[in-house]
C-alpha cells in the first residue's frame, strides 16, 4: 500500500505526456513544450515593455500638442491683458480640456500664478512644476505630484509679437489614466500570448503524436515482446484473418484462415485471383476491397461469415483486413430460433387481437385474420349453428362421437379473394371421412400434408375439392375449437404458396385455436345471456298499448348491444278518460336489472290503480326501492345497490292539463302545435331509493296536438358528447314537424341521435295530445238537498237522450242517485256532477269531504248499505280518487255500440 501514491503520480504523468518518459516521443514532447513556453513568455514581456513605452510617449506628445495649440490660440493674449483673465480663460480651458482628452490645461503668468485650473480653488495659486525652461522659450515636459495627483505635464511659453514670453500654458494627464491605457492593452497582449502558446503546443503535440504512432511509445524490449504476442495471438485464434494489400496481393494469412479456405503454404504474396479453389463470390469480395459485415459465403462446404474493413482509416497503409468465422452450425441454430421467435410473436399477437369484442362471428374472424399470412395462406372457421345463437352444440344420441353437421361457415380469410373454398354463411354437413368430422368428433387436430392423396376429404364434394387442388392448395390442419370440454366448431388452416404443414406446426395450430376458443365461448355465453335478458326485458315491457282516447302514442325500445339494462315505459289508462305515462331506468345491466325493472313497473301499475298524484306515487315507489336494497343487502353483502329513475305524468283530455313529477330522470321535451320545442321547467327530484326527500309536481296546460316526448338517458347521453349537445340534437330532430305522427317522430329521433350500435338501452315515448270535445262532457253543481236528486236524474236522462244513449238511462239514474245521495248525506259542499262520454260512459260525483265510501254486504235485516253494491253490479268499474279539495267517486258503464259512437 505504501507505493500506491507513487504509482498514481506515475500514472498521472504518463497521462500528461501520453506515454512513458522513457520513450523518445515523451522526451521530445517535454523539450518542445519547454521551448515553446519560454519563447511565448519572452514575447509577452517584450510586448508589455513596448506597450508601456509607447503609451508614455503618446501621453507626453498629446500634452505638448494640447499646450502649444492653446498657447497659440487667437484671443489668448487679449484675455491676458484683462483685469481678471480667469473669467474668460477658465471656461475656454475646461472646454478645450474635455475636447482634447487631457486631465488639465493651466494658464499662468510668468511668475507661475494660475489663471485657470480644473479645480477652481487652485486658481490664483502657484503652479507646481519647473517653469524656468519655459520662461527661456523652451517646451518642457516633466512628471510631478500636483493637485490632481501624480501627473505627466508639458509647459509651453506664450510669446508676444516681439518674442517676449508674457505667459505660460501647461497641459497634462494623470499617470493613472496613462496606466489604464496600458491595462486595457494588457489582456490583448496576454490573450495573444496564450493563443500563441496553444497553437505552438498543439503543433508540438501533433509532432509528438506522429512520433508516438510510429514508435508506439515503446521501448525496444517492449516492442519485441509486443510482436511476439501479436504473432502468437494471430495464429492461435479460432477466427481466420487475412490482410490484403492495395494491389490485391495477400500480405498475411493466419492458420485458421488457411484451414477454412484450404489455402496452400505459399499463398502469402500472391494475388487473390491467383489463389486456387476459391468461390467466385468470395474472390470478388476480397478483390473489391469494399466494406462487408457478416456476409455469408459458401466455401469448401462451410458457411463463412465474412467481415472486411479498410486499413487506411487511421492513416495506415492501404489495403483491407478480412476476418472469417465458421457459422455453419450457428446458422442452423439461428434458423430454429428465428422460427420459434416468429411463432411466439404470432401467439402474442393472437392474445392481443382475438377477443376484442363479445361477438361470436367477429371473434372467429379475428382468429382467421391473425393467422394469415403468417401461419397459413387461407383460414376458414366453421361453428356449430347453435353456437351462433348462444347455445352449446346438441349432444349426439348414444355413445357415438359428435357429428360435424349443421356447421355454419362464419369466417373466410386468405391471401387472395378468388379462392374456391366454401363462402361465408354456408351451412355445411361434413362427412365422417373428412378431417373436419374426425377432428370434431375426437376433439383432436387433424394434419393432412397432401390433400391430393386424402380420399376421405375428396369425397365431401368431388367438384369443389378438384377446384381447390387445381388452385394450388395442398395442405390442411383442421383444429377443433374446444372450450370446457365442448367442441364448438373447427378452424381450418390451408396452405398453397409455401411448404406443407409438418407435425411441429400442429401444436402451434392447437395453441392458436385454444386461445381463440376461450374468447369464442365467452362470446357465446354472452350472446345467450344477452338474448335471455332481451327476452325478459321485452316480456316485461308493454306488448301492446291499451286503448284510450286521450293520446296518440308512438314508442321505441332498443336494447344495448353490450348488455340489456333496466329501461322501461308504460301507458296506463286512468278513470275519467285520463292517461298516465311512465318512463324509468334501472341502474346496471343484465338479468338483475331487467328483473328489477319488472318489479318497479308492476309497482307503478299497482300504485296507479289508487289514482295517486305523481309525487305521491313516486314516494311509494321510492320506499319500495329502499326495501329492495335492504333485502338484497341482507341476503348478499356484496350485492349492488339498486338505483333507478322515473318520470310519471297524468294527462286529462277534458281539461287538457298534464301533471308530472320526476325522480332523477331527464325532463321531457314538449313539441307545440307550431313545431317549436321546449324542455319544461320540471322540478327535479332525487333518484329512487335514496329516501328522505320529497318529490314536487309541475302542471302544464297543453294545446291539442302538442307532443310530449319522454325518454331515458341513453338517448341523449354519450361518452363522445356532452348532455347539452344531446339535448340540442333532440330539439333539432323534433322541431319544425308539427304534422308528423308519433311513430314518425320516434323514427326520426333515433336516426338523428343513436349510433349504429348503442352502448345503452333506449326507451322513447312520444304522445300527441287530444282534447275531448265540449259536447261530450256535461257538468252540474248540485245543492246539498235530497230533493235535488230527482232533478239530476231528469237532467242526466235528457243528456243521455241527446247522446243517443237512452238505453243506459235506467242504470245511470240508479248509479247517479246513489252517488249523489251519499255525497249529500255524508259529504260536504261543494257537490259537483260530471258526465263524460268517451269509450265508456263515465259518471263522476265530487264533494269537499275526504271520507271514502266502502262496499259491504248488507244483512237481510239491515235497512241500508246496499247502494254501493248496486253501483258495483251496474257499473263496469267504480272507485274513488282524492283531489286537493276533496274526493271524486266515479263509475263507468259500458257503451252499447262503441264503434258507432266513435264514428259519430
Amino acid at each position: 500500500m505504501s507505493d500506491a501514491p507513487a504509482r498514481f503520480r506515475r500514472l498521472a504523468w504518463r497521462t500528461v505526456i501520453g506515454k512513458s518518459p522513457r520513450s523518445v516521443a515523451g522526451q521530445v514532447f517535454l523539450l518542445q513544450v519547454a521551448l515553446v513556453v519560454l519563447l511565448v513568455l519572452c514575447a509577452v514581456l517584450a510586448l508589455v515593455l513596448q506597450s508601456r513605452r509607447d503609451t508614455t510617449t503618446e501621453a507626453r506628445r498629446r500634452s505638448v500638442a494640447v499646450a502649444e495649440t492653446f498657447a497659440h490660440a487667437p484671443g489668448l493674449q487679449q484675455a491676458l491683458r484683462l483685469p481678471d483673465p480667469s473669467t474668460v480663460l477658465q471656461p475656454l480651458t475646461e472646454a478645450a480640456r474635455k475636447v482634447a482628452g487631457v486631465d488639465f490645461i493651466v494658464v499662468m503668468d510668468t511668475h507661475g500664478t494660475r489663471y485657470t485650473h480644473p479645480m477652481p480653488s487652485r486658481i490664483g495659486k502657484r503652479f507646481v512644476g519647473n517653469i524656468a525652461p519655459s520662461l527661456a522659450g523652451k517646451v518642457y515636459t516633466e512628471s510631478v505630484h500636483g493637485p490632481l495627483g501624480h501627473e505627466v505635464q508639458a509647459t509651453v511659453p506664450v510669446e508676444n509679437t516681439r518674442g517676449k514670453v508674457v505667459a505660460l500654458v501647461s497641459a497634462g494627464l494623470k499617470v493613472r489614466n496613462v496606466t489604464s491605457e496600458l491595462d486595457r492593452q494588457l489582456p490583448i497582449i496576454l490573450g495573444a500570448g496564450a493563443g500563441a502558446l496553444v497553437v505552438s503546443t498543439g503543433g508540438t503535440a501533433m509532432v509528438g503524436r506522429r512520433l508516438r504512432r510510429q514508435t508506439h511509445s515503446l521501448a525496444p524490449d517492449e516492442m519485441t515482446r509486443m510482436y511476439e504476442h501479436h504473432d502468437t495471438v494471430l495464429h492461435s485464434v479460432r477466427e481466420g484473418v487475412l490482410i490484403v494489400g492495395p494491389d490485391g496481393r495477400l500480405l498475411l494469412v493466419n492458420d485458421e484462415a488457411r484451414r477454412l479456405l484450404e489455402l496452400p503454404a505459399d499463398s502469402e504474396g500472391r494475388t487473390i485471383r491467383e489463389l486456387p479453389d476459391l468461390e467466385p463470390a468470395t474472390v470478388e469480395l476480397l478483390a473489391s476491397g469494399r466494406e462487408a459485415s457478416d456476409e455469408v459465403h459458401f466455401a469448401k462446404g462451410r458457411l463463412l461469415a465474412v467481415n472486411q474493413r479498410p486499413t487506411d482509416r487511421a492513416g495506415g497503409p492501404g489495403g483491407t483486413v478480412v476476418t472469417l468465422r465458421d457459422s455453419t452450425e450457428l446458422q442452423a441454430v439461428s434458423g430454429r430460433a428465428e422460427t420459434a421467435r416468429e411463432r411466439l410473436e404470432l401467439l402474442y399477437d393472437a392474445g392481443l387481437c382475438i377477443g376484442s369484442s363479445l361477438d361470436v362471428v367477429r371473434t372467429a374472424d379475428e382468429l382467421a385474420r391473425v393467422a394469415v399470412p403468417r401461419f397459413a395462406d387461407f383460414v376458414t372457421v366453421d361453428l356449430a349453428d347453435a353456437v351462433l345463437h348462444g347455445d352449446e352444440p346438441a349432444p349426439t344420441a348414444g355413445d357415438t362421437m359428435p357429428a360435424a353437421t349443421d356447421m355454419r361457415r362464419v369466417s373466410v380469410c386468405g391471401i387472395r379473394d378468388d379462392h374456391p373454398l366454401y363462402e361465408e354463411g354456408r351451412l355445411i354437413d361434413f362427412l365422417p371421412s373428412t378431417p373436419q368430422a374426425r377432428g370434431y368428433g375426437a376433439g383432436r387436430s387433424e394434419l393432412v400434408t397432401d390433400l391430393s392423396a386424402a380420399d376421405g376429404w375428396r369425397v365431401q364434394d368431388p367438384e369443389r375439392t378438384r377446384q381447390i387442388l387445381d388452385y394450388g392448395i395442398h395442405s390442411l390442419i383442421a383444429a377443433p375449437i374446444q372450450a370446457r370440454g365442448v367442441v364448438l366448431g373447427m378452424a381450418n388452416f390451408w396452405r398453397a404458396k409455401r411448404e406443407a404443414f409438418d407435425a411441429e406446426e400442429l401444436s402451434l395450430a392447437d395453441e392458436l385455436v385454444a386461445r381463440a376458443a376461450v374468447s369464442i365461448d365467452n362470446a357465446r355465453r354472452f350472446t345467450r345471456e344477452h338474448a335471455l335478458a332481451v327476452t325478459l326485458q321485452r316480456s316485461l315491457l308493454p306488448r301492446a298499448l291499451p286503448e284510450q282516447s286521450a293520446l296518440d302514442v308512438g314508442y321505441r325500445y332498443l336494447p344495448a348491444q353490450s348488455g340489456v339494462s333496466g329501461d322501461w315505459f308504460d301507458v296506463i289508462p286512468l278513470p275519467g278518460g285520463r292517461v298516465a305515462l311512465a318512463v324509468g331506468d334501472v341502474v346496471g345491466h343484465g338479468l338483475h336489472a331487467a328483473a328489477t325493472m319488472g318489479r318497479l313497473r308492476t309497482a307503478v301499475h299497482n300504485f296507479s290503480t289508487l289514482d295517486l298524484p305523481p309525487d305521491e306515487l313516486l314516494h311509494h315507489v321510492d320506499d319500495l326501492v329502499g326495501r329492495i336494497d335492504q333485502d338484497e343487502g341482507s341476503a348478499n353483502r356484496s350485492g349492488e345497490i339498486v338505483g333507478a329513475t322515473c318520470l310519471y305524468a297524468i294527462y286529462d283530455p277534458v281539461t287538457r292539463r298534464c301533471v308530472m313529477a320526476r325522480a332523477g330522470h331527464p325532463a321531457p321535451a314538449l313539441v307545440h302545435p307550431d313545431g317549436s320545442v321546449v324542455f319544461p321547467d320540471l322540478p327535479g327530484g332525487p333518484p329512487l331509493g335514496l329516501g328522505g326527500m320529497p318529490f314536487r309536481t309541475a302542471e302544464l296546460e297543453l294545446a291539442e296536438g302538442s307532443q310530449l316526448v319522454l325518454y331515458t338517458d341513453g338517448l341523449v347521453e354519450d361518452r363522445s358528447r356532452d348532455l347539452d349537445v344531446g339535448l340540442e340534437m333532440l330539439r333539432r330532430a323534433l322541431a319544425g314537424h308539427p304534422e308528423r305522427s308519433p311513430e314518425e317522430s320516434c323514427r326520426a329521433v333515433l336516426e338523428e341521435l343513436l349510433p349504429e350500435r348503442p352502448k345503452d338501452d333506449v326507451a322513447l315515448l312520444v304522445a300527441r295530445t287530444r282534447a275531448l270535445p265540449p259536447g261530450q262532457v256535461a257538468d252540474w253543481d248540485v245543492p246539498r238537498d235530497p230533493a235535488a236528486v230527482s232533478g239530476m236524474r231528469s237532467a242526466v236522462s235528457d243528456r243521455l237522450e241527446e247522446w243517443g244513449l237512452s238505453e243506459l238511462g235506467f242504470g245511470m239514474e240508479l248509479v247517479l242517485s246513489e252517488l249523489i245521495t251519499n255525497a249529500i248525506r255524508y259529504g260536504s259542499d261543494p257537490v259537483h256532477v260530471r258526465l263524460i262520454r268517451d269509450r265508456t260512459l263515465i259518471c263522476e260525483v265530487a264533494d269537499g269531504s275526504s271520507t271514502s265510501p266502502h262496499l259491504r254486504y248488507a244483512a237481510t235485516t239491515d235497512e241500508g248499505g246496499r247502494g254501493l253494491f248496486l253501483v258495483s253490479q251496474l257499473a263496469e268499474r267504480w272507485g274513488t280518487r282524492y283531489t286537493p279539495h276533496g274526493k271524486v267517486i266515479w263509475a263507468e258503464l259500458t257503451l252499447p255500440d262503441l264503434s258507432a259512437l266513435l264514428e259519430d
Side-chain angles (χ1 to χ4, degrees):
M1 295 296 294
S2 61
D3 60 342
R7 287 201 304 271
F8 177 78
R9 287 193 297 271
R10 287 197 300 271
L11 178 61
W13 178 249
R14 290 176 61 120
T15 303
V16 171
I17 66 173
K19 292 294 180 179
S20 170
R22 293 180 300 165
S23 66
V24 176
Q27 296 173 1
V28 171
F29 178 77
L30 287 177
L31 179 61
Q32 290 179 339
V33 169
L35 291 175
V36 169
V37 170
L38 179 61
L39 291 175
V40 170
L41 290 177
C42 292
V44 170
L45 180 59
L47 288 174
V48 170
L49 296 177
Q50 179 67 29
S51 178
R52 183 183 297 275
R53 186 174 64 85
D54 291 346
T55 302
T56 303
T57 302
E58 174 61 21
R60 293 178 181 275
R61 185 191 62 77
R62 188 188 304 175
S63 300
V64 171
V66 172
E68 288 183 342
T69 301
F70 198 86
H72 296 89
L76 176 62
Q77 295 184 18
Q78 289 82 353
L80 291 172
R81 289 192 291 268
L82 294 175
D84 187 6
S86 297
T87 56
V88 175
L89 295 177
Q90 176 68 12
L92 295 176
T93 57
E94 287 301 302
R97 177 180 65 82
K98 294 178 181 178
V99 172
V102 294
D103 292 324
F104 65 89
I105 299 178
V106 176
V107 181
M108 68 196 85
D109 60 11
T110 55
H111 300 290
T113 302
R114 300 188 186 97
Y115 292 135
T116 64
H117 196 276
M119 300 171 60
S121 62
R122 297 291 180 174
I123 297 175
K125 296 183 179 181
R126 184 170 180 78
F127 174 72
V128 178
N130 186 7
I131 62 174
S134 300
L135 291 175
K138 299 179 181 179
V139 176
Y140 181 69
T141 60
E142 60 182 334
S143 176
V144 298
H145 290 277
L148 299 179
H150 193 191
E151 305 167 349
V152 175
Q153 61 186 17
T155 305
V156 177
V158 179
E159 299 176 347
N160 58 15
T161 55
R162 293 189 298 273
K164 181 181 179 180
V165 176
V166 296
L168 301 176
V169 176
S170 179
L173 291 88
K174 290 183 285 187
V175 173
R176 66 181 181 183
N177 290 341
V178 176
T179 306
S180 65
E181 292 290 333
L182 176 62
D183 292 340
R184 285 194 294 270
Q185 296 175 3
L186 189 58
I188 300 175
I189 296 173
L190 294 178
L197 178 61
V198 171
V199 173
S200 301
T201 306
T204 302
M206 293 178 61
V207 173
R209 180 180 178 184
R210 182 172 183 84
L211 185 59
R212 285 197 304 272
R213 186 170 60 249
Q214 292 176 351
T215 64
H216 297 284
S217 297
L218 297 175
D221 57 339
E222 292 176 335
M223 295 182 66
T224 302
R225 188 164 55 252
M226 182 193 71
Y227 281 112
E228 291 175 351
H229 290 168
H230 170 269
D231 190 64
T232 301
V233 171
L234 181 66
H235 295 283
S236 300
V237 295
R238 292 299 304 274
E239 189 170 85
V241 179
L242 303 172
I243 297 181
V244 182
D247 57 353
R249 194 172 301 277
L250 186 59
L251 302 179
L252 183 145
V253 55
N254 72 342
D255 296 343
E256 182 66 11
R258 199 183 305 275
R259 183 185 69 83
L260 294 176
L261 298 178
E262 298 182 4
L263 297 176
D266 61 346
S267 57
E268 293 182 356
R270 301 170 61 178
T271 62
I272 294 297
R273 299 188 184 278
E274 294 176 355
L275 298 177
D277 301 330
L278 286 182
E279 295 292 332
T282 305
V283 172
E284 185 63 30
L285 173 62
L286 299 181
S288 65
R290 63 177 175 85
E291 290 191 15
S293 298
D294 289 333
E295 287 191 12
V296 179
H297 287 258
F298 184 78
K300 307 300 180 181
R302 301 182 181 90
L303 290 176
L304 302 181
V306 181
N307 290 274
Q308 183 167 268
R309 295 290 186 276
T311 59
D312 58 354
R313 287 186 174 181
T320 57
V321 57
V322 183
T323 61
L324 309 173
R325 186 174 63 254
D326 189 355
S327 62
T328 306
E329 296 182 359
L330 182 61
Q331 288 290 334
V333 174
S334 299
R336 291 194 294 270
E338 179 66 18
T339 301
R341 186 193 63 80
E342 292 177 354
R343 293 179 179 180
L344 288 175
E345 189 175 279
L346 174 61
L347 293 176
Y348 175 77
D349 292 342
L352 294 178
C353 299
I354 300 175
S356 62
S357 70
L358 290 174
D359 183 86
V360 174
V361 176
R362 183 175 177 180
T363 304
D365 190 61
E366 290 170 347
L367 167 61
R369 292 186 180 280
V370 78
V372 175
R374 299 161 67 179
F375 180 64
D377 297 323
F378 299 92
V379 177
T380 59
V381 180
D382 307 320
L383 296 177
D385 205 38
V387 173
L388 300 178
H389 301 91
D391 300 325
E392 292 185 354
T396 305
D399 297 331
T400 60
M401 293 188 302
T405 57
D406 292 335
M407 302 287 289
R408 182 78 63 180
R409 178 145 295 178
V410 296
S411 179
V412 179
C413 183
I415 57 176
R416 293 172 56 182
D417 296 331
D418 58 348
H419 55 80
L421 300 171
Y422 284 140
E423 66 280 359
E424 289 183 9
R426 185 178 184 123
L427 193 64
I428 308 171
D429 292 334
F430 288 105
L431 297 179
S433 61
T434 60
Q436 290 87 350
R438 293 195 303 269
Y440 187 88
R444 294 191 301 271
S445 297
E446 290 285 326
L447 171 63
V448 182
T449 57
D450 186 4
L451 288 173
S452 61
D455 296 333
W457 170 74
R458 301 179 67 174
V459 172
Q460 173 73 29
D461 188 343
E463 179 61 26
R464 176 81 62 168
T465 54
R466 184 187 62 79
Q467 296 175 4
I468 293 174
L469 293 174
D470 293 343
Y471 188 79
I473 297 176
H474 55 76
S475 182
L476 164 68
I477 291 180
I481 302 173
Q482 190 170 211
R484 298 179 297 104
V486 178
V487 180
L488 307 177
M490 297 295 295
N492 306 297
F493 303 93
W494 314 80
R495 278 188 178 174
K497 299 296 184 180
R498 64 179 90 179
E499 66 277 3
F501 290 110
D502 54 30
E504 291 185 0
E505 292 174 312
L506 194 64
S507 60
L508 176 60
D510 289 338
E511 182 66 23
L512 190 63
V513 174
R515 293 174 181 247
V518 176
S519 298
I520 292 176
D521 187 55
N522 290 338
R524 178 196 64 80
R525 296 170 65 183
F526 172 78
T527 301
R528 181 187 61 190
E529 293 181 4
H530 185 268
L532 290 175
V534 170
T535 302
L536 176 61
Q537 179 88 337
R538 294 191 181 279
S539 67
L540 295 175
L541 291 173
R543 299 188 180 183
L545 295 181
E547 294 182 357
Q548 44 83 29
S549 303
L551 298 169
D552 182 12
V553 180
Y555 65 92
R556 289 290 188 278
Y557 169 73
L558 295 179
Q561 295 295 327
S562 59
V564 177
S565 63
D567 291 14
W568 58 279
F569 67 92
D570 218 335
V571 179
I572 307 171
L574 298 178
R578 297 168 303 131
V579 176
L581 301 176
V583 172
D585 184 4
V586 176
V587 176
H589 294 272
L591 295 175
H592 181 268
T596 304
M597 178 274 295
R599 298 172 69 177
L600 295 185
R601 178 172 177 258
T602 302
V604 171
H605 255 285
N606 293 337
F607 291 136
S608 67
T609 60
L610 301 177
D611 215 344
L612 298 174
D615 55 341
E616 293 185 21
L617 183 140
L618 291 180
H619 177 72
H620 287 292
V621 178
D622 181 61
D623 290 340
L624 173 63
V625 174
R627 289 195 299 271
I628 293 175
D629 283 339
Q630 293 178 359
D631 294 342
E632 293 192 354
S634 60
N636 182 10
R637 294 184 180 270
S638 62
E640 296 182 358
I641 299 299
V642 175
T645 65
C646 183
L647 188 150
Y648 187 78
I650 299 176
Y651 174 69
D652 188 348
V654 178
T655 62
R656 292 185 290 103
R657 303 194 70 81
C658 181
V659 182
M660 62 183 72
R662 61 181 176 133
H665 202 83
L670 178 60
V671 184
H672 292 295
D674 61 356
S676 61
V677 180
V678 297
F679 292 92
D681 186 12
L682 179 60
L688 300 174
L690 295 183
M693 297 292 292
F695 299 98
R696 294 181 295 171
T697 61
E699 186 171 357
L700 306 174
E701 184 174 350
L702 305 180
E704 184 176 7
S706 301
Q707 291 191 26
L708 195 62
V709 181
L710 283 68
Y711 53 90
T712 55
D713 57 1
L715 181 69
V716 294
E717 290 185 358
D718 190 89
R719 293 181 180 178
S720 61
R721 64 174 183 240
D722 293 336
L723 176 61
D724 294 340
V725 176
L727 293 176
E728 183 59 29
M729 294 175 64
L730 177 61
R731 184 197 302 273
R732 291 199 304 266
L734 293 171
H737 301 281
E739 77 290 346
R740 197 161 56 188
S741 68
E743 282 292 328
E744 293 173 343
S745 295
C746 289
R747 185 182 309 110
V749 167
L750 296 184
E751 291 177 355
E752 176 71 19
L753 273 76
L754 289 189
E756 182 179 354
R757 298 171 65 89
K759 297 180 180 179
D760 195 6
D761 284 18
V762 175
L764 175 64
L765 196 64
V766 180
R768 185 195 298 274
T769 62
R770 297 174 181 170
L772 204 62
Q776 295 181 219
V777 181
D779 294 85
W780 297 276
D781 290 325
V782 181
R784 292 194 65 210
D785 184 0
V789 177
S790 61
M792 285 304 305
R793 283 200 301 266
S794 176
V796 169
S797 297
D798 293 341
R799 182 53 60 93
L800 292 179
E801 185 70 28
E802 293 178 11
W803 288 346
L805 300 175
S806 55
E807 59 185 284
L808 297 179
F810 177 75
M812 179 55 69
E813 288 178 8
L814 288 177
V815 171
L816 189 61
S817 297
E818 179 60 29
L819 296 181
I820 295 177
T821 300
N822 282 342
I824 293 174
R825 180 176 299 176
Y826 304 109
S828 60
D829 288 331
V831 179
H832 185 78
V833 175
R834 184 170 71 171
L835 201 63
I836 302 173
R837 190 196 75 179
D838 193 18
R839 292 181 178 270
T840 60
L841 184 60
I842 305 169
C843 172
E844 296 180 344
V845 177
D847 68 84
S849 172
S850 297
T851 59
S852 176
H854 296 282
L855 177 66
R856 66 185 180 89
Y857 292 94
T860 56
T861 59
D862 291 343
E863 294 182 0
R866 297 177 177 84
L868 289 180
F869 180 77
L870 291 175
V871 172
S872 66
Q873 296 299 312
L874 293 173
E876 181 182 1
R877 293 190 306 159
W878 75 280
T880 304
R881 73 173 181 271
Y882 295 94
T883 67
H885 308 290
K887 68 176 181 297
V888 175
I889 304 177
W890 55 271
E892 293 183 2
L893 276 67
T894 304
L895 296 177
D897 189 356
L898 183 60
S899 60
L901 290 176
L902 291 177
E903 291 177 359
D904 294 341

